[in-house]
Amino acid sequence: MPKVASTLLVAGLILIAGVSVGTSAFTTADIDRQSNIDVVADDSGLLGLTDGNSGNLVYQNTDDQLEIDFENSTASGANTDALFRLGNPENPLGSQAFVITNNDAEAHTINVAYNTSMQAAFDTDNLKFEIYDDTNTLVGTVSASGDTASLSADAGESYNVVVTVDTGHGGAKILKSGDDLSGTLEFRIDDTQTGGN
């Protein structure tokens, strides 16, 4: 066989082999990747909710969730014509009901709301959650009447929350026995870069 023909034959075989590899498909694949999704208590989660130092009405319950409960111990609720404050609005860094912390490695927007079935029946001052940054500056207020807050939290940033329950003694609407401020404090966390949640 002449040398030119043999070179063309080898080049042709290489070309055919290359096309075969390029168009072939695999039928199975087995690829392992590590996933680490431990379920932890509220104070250790991506959004940390930690009991403050304002007494036993705010605590982590047996499900490891932060709970605010005026029926803790032998009480049946909050007195009428009374004012209760969990934490100190003059120094929330030193005394707070609970702390919100972004435990993630990136910044997030934390949206906070309080939902109660009786929302229209209450004044803002009947139940409010005042949120302070680490300089004791008020950055948002959430209330039983529908006020919401939005916090821009850098990685590791914390906010201190003071809770006020006013059943008529501090100037809010007077509540009577049987009125119920119970509800759910809701946190929605958005990725500041993509806007997803």
Side-chain angles (χ1 to χ4, degrees):
M1 182 182 291
K3 188 173 184 180
V4 174
S6 136
T7 303
L8 288 175
L9 180 60
V10 171
L13 290 174
I14 291 172
L15 181 61
I16 291 168
V19 170
S20 297
V21 170
T23 59
S24 67
F26 58 86
T27 55
T28 62
D30 191 358
I31 302 169
D32 294 331
R33 293 293 184 268
Q34 184 65 35
S35 175
N36 199 355
I37 309 172
D38 292 332
V39 177
V40 297
D42 269 355
D43 60 349
S44 303
L46 283 172
L47 178 67
L49 301 173
T50 307
D51 177 12
N53 53 13
S54 63
N56 67 347
L57 298 179
V58 182
Y59 59 94
Q60 275 191 293
N61 64 24
T62 55
D63 293 325
D64 289 328
Q65 297 174 343
L66 186 76
E67 187 168 339
I68 301 168
D69 188 1
F70 272 71
E71 295 180 18
N72 193 12
S73 188
T74 59
S76 298
N79 304 61
T80 186
D81 191 18
L83 176 65
F84 299 91
R85 189 165 280 130
L86 310 178
N88 181 358
E90 302 300 320
N91 181 21
L93 191 59
S95 177
Q96 69 290 121
F98 63 95
V99 180
I100 303 168
T101 305
N102 176 14
N103 285 327
D104 198 2
E106 61 183 56
H108 289 286
T109 299
I110 303 170
N111 298 299
V112 189
Y114 187 76
N115 298 309
T116 176
S117 60
M118 304 276 297
Q119 195 163 335
F122 301 119
D123 289 342
T124 295
D125 290 338
N126 283 133
L127 172 62
K128 62 183 176 180
F129 302 83
E130 295 173 299
I131 305 169
Y132 296 85
D133 65 14
D134 61 359
T135 67
N136 284 339
T137 301
L138 180 66
V139 295
T141 300
V142 175
S143 75
S145 62
D147 296 316
T148 62
S150 184
L151 315 170
S152 296
D154 290 332
E157 189 169 7
S158 292
Y159 295 91
N160 298 295
V161 182
V162 174
V163 178
T164 301
V165 176
D166 183 352
T167 61
H169 192 70
K173 177 180 179 180
I174 296 175
L175 302 181
K176 299 181 174 94
S177 180
D179 286 333
D180 191 355
L181 285 165
S182 299
T184 303
L185 192 59
E186 176 183 284
F187 299 89
R188 178 173 289 252
I189 305 157
D190 294 337
D191 186 332
T192 56
Q193 296 188 9
T194 64
N197 53 42

